[in-house]
Amino acid sequence: MGVDLRQVVAGILTITMFVMLIHMIKRDHFDAVAQDKIPGETDDTDFENTKFGGTHVTKNIGFWKGDATDKIKPCWAKPSGDDVEQTEGFVTFSLTNGPEYHMSQIADAVIVARSLGATLVIPDIRGTQPGDKRNFEDIYDVEVFTKSMEGVIRVVKDLPDHISKKKIAAVKVPNRVTEDYIHTHVEPIYKSKGNIRLATYFPSVNMRKAGENGDSDSIACLAMYGSLELQPEIKDLVDSMVERLRTLSRKSDGQFIAVDLRVEMLDKKGCQGSGDRAKEKSCYSAQEIAKFLRKIGFQKDTTIYVTESRWHSSLDSLKDLFPKTYIKESIIPADKKKKLQVSEDSELEKVIDFYISSESDVFVPAISGLLYANVAGKRIGNGKTQILVPADIIQDSSASASNFLSPYISKKNHFAYSCYC
């Protein structure tokens, strides 16, 4: 009996499409199960162990040149302060753990202050070490922040002298705090004590859309994407480092990749599978990232920026395949390099990493967490949607390059898509 060639081809195509569908479903877990906690919390950060096929990526396709078609603009409505009954109390808080946390902490504090009708005190910025404290204006433009809040909440630089900081009640709120939570858990304390000090905790770093929340969403959009700008000196530093990377990337038309890969994170509990997820990959090493990028077609002369603070021997495997691999010390201006080395300014390093990752032509998160989630939000607002989720690639698979796009982008389910249109 003869074999119909058309039936054979149709069967092969059906099986191929089925395999690709399975791969796409698994990839979505990268965002769905990502967990991260502020210091003191214990939940894991998990990746789904995803497998995709190789394909060739050139500088002429969307991963290098997708910005022109992805430009969007802010479309949130600025709420009116007339809608809220003003009270006499104050809300204080600190920014901690780097810009990826600052964005969320600012949003929660503004939402709480508005809901209570309270006055927000401009926060200080605190590092991980005791005594590591600086003013808001050391990193951010205080005038931009204050102006962005006009008509939304009242903002002051300092608490009045007659209010003792020791008598202010401490209140913890979950990230992306809701009006119901504020009404039930925060408002009674505020009414009783008169002033509160907020601390945001992160039960999850999932930044997917979560339904319509009216004014709260508009306030969160404004706070996260319209209130924080680097102060001029810090912005000039970051811009000069981005320009240096572009200069080093002449063979790829000035385009470069930023990889969030911090070696010290790889051995932590959040990067290790546990329980039912013991066999799942949670983070990717330098060697795995190198193989991933080469298998999907990035060439040897591609320029890569890595967020690791100091050169680590494990990065050698990445540099072997991509000789143009750099860390901060390699590209920071000479007059700033000594300060970075001597002071070990972790807060400045985090700022540099976050904003270079936001400005790169391609972003690859080797670690799932809040930096990935909030860099994705910044990039969406800037039209820089080339975010590639790492994966273990099956050598003989044939999945297309588009399958590596972050689900935040491919499904447009990031919260930032509620803020831009």
Side-chain angles (χ1 to χ4, degrees), residues 31-36 175-176 203-209 369-370 373 408 413-415:
D31 293 340
V33 303
Q35 297 287 319
D36 198 6
N175 178 224
R176 304 180 75 177
S204 169
V205 299
N206 190 344
M207 286 301 296
R208 288 183 300 176
K209 293 179 183 177
L370 200 60
Y408 281 144
N413 65 6
H414 194 284
F415 172 72

Side-chain angles (χ1 to χ4, degrees), residues 190-319:
Y190 176 73
K191 286 183 175 180
S192 172
K193 301 296 184 179
N195 306 287
I196 58 173
R197 178 172 178 80
L198 284 184
T200 296
Y201 67 94
F202 293 80
S204 169
V205 299
N206 190 344
M207 286 301 296
R208 288 183 300 176
K209 293 179 183 177
E212 298 294 330
N213 290 309
D215 275 1
S216 291
D217 275 355
S218 293
I219 295 167
C221 290
L222 171 64
M224 294 185 73
Y225 306 119
S227 72
L228 291 179
E229 290 187 11
L230 296 178
Q231 56 100 326
E233 182 181 0
I234 301 295
K235 185 177 187 304
D236 288 345
L237 172 61
V238 174
D239 288 346
S240 70
M241 296 174 74
V242 169
E243 186 59 33
R244 173 65 174 155
L245 287 164
R246 298 206 182 284
T247 301
L248 293 165
S249 308
R250 290 193 183 98
K251 290 186 177 180
S252 56
D253 294 337
Q255 296 157 322
F256 70 95
I257 300 173
V259 177
D260 177 34
L261 196 163
R262 290 156 283 159
V263 176
E264 74 277 6
M265 294 291 294
L266 299 180
D267 292 328
K268 291 189 176 180
K269 183 178 179 182
C271 275
Q272 309 298 323
S274 59
D276 293 337
R277 293 176 179 160
K279 295 182 180 180
E280 294 178 6
K281 286 195 67 65
S282 300
C283 305
Y284 290 85
S285 68
Q287 184 177 31
E288 291 167 326
I289 292 295
K291 291 179 179 178
F292 167 72
L293 292 174
R294 284 303 297 270
K295 284 183 178 179
I296 64 174
F298 282 103
Q299 302 303 306
K300 185 176 182 180
D301 60 3
T302 301
T303 299
I304 298 177
Y305 173 80
V306 182
T307 58
E308 175 64 30
S309 295
R310 303 290 182 268
W311 191 265
H312 189 277
S313 59
S314 66
L315 298 179
D316 292 344
S317 57
L318 180 58
K319 197 172 183 67

Side-chain angles (χ1 to χ4, degrees), residues 123-224:
D124 58 10
I125 300 174
R126 302 192 181 189
T128 56
Q129 301 300 320
D132 186 0
K133 179 180 174 182
R134 68 196 70 206
N135 295 323
F136 182 87
E137 57 266 30
D138 291 338
I139 300 293
Y140 298 110
D141 191 319
V142 69
E143 292 185 9
V144 169
F145 176 72
T146 302
K147 187 173 181 60
S148 71
M149 293 296 121
E150 289 180 355
V152 180
I153 57 170
R154 294 168 297 177
V155 176
V156 296
K157 182 174 176 56
D158 299 297
L159 274 173
D161 292 338
H162 68 274
I163 297 179
S164 171
K165 294 181 180 180
K166 295 180 179 180
K167 295 183 179 180
I168 297 178
V171 179
K172 293 181 69 174
V173 298
N175 178 224
R176 304 180 75 177
V177 65
T178 64
E179 291 286 345
D180 287 343
Y181 187 94
I182 296 170
H183 177 71
T184 303
H185 300 283
V186 182
E187 189 174 344
I189 299 174
Y190 176 73
K191 286 183 175 180
S192 172
K193 301 296 184 179
N195 306 287
I196 58 173
R197 178 172 178 80
L198 284 184
T200 296
Y201 67 94
F202 293 80
S204 169
V205 299
N206 190 344
M207 286 301 296
R208 288 183 300 176
K209 293 179 183 177
E212 298 294 330
N213 290 309
D215 275 1
S216 291
D217 275 355
S218 293
I219 295 167
C221 290
L222 171 64
M224 294 185 73

Side-chain angles (χ1 to χ4, degrees), residues 363-378:
F363 175 56
V364 178
I367 303 165
S368 181
L370 200 60
L371 190 141
Y372 161 50
N374 277 340
V375 163
K378 289 284 287 187

Side-chain angles (χ1 to χ4, degrees), residues 352-384:
I352 291 170
D353 289 338
F354 183 86
Y355 284 92
I356 290 181
S357 296
S358 300
E359 291 297 323
S360 64
D361 299 280
V362 174
F363 175 56
V364 178
I367 303 165
S368 181
L370 200 60
L371 190 141
Y372 161 50
N374 277 340
V375 163
K378 289 284 287 187
R379 294 182 66 94
I380 288 167
N382 293 332
K384 293 180 175 292

Side-chain angles (χ1 to χ4, degrees), residues 98-119:
E100 65 269 31
Y101 284 85
H102 298 174
M103 292 174 63
S104 297
Q105 290 162 345
I106 283 281
D108 291 327
V110 172
I111 289 171
V112 169
R114 179 177 170 83
S115 179
L116 299 176
T119 298

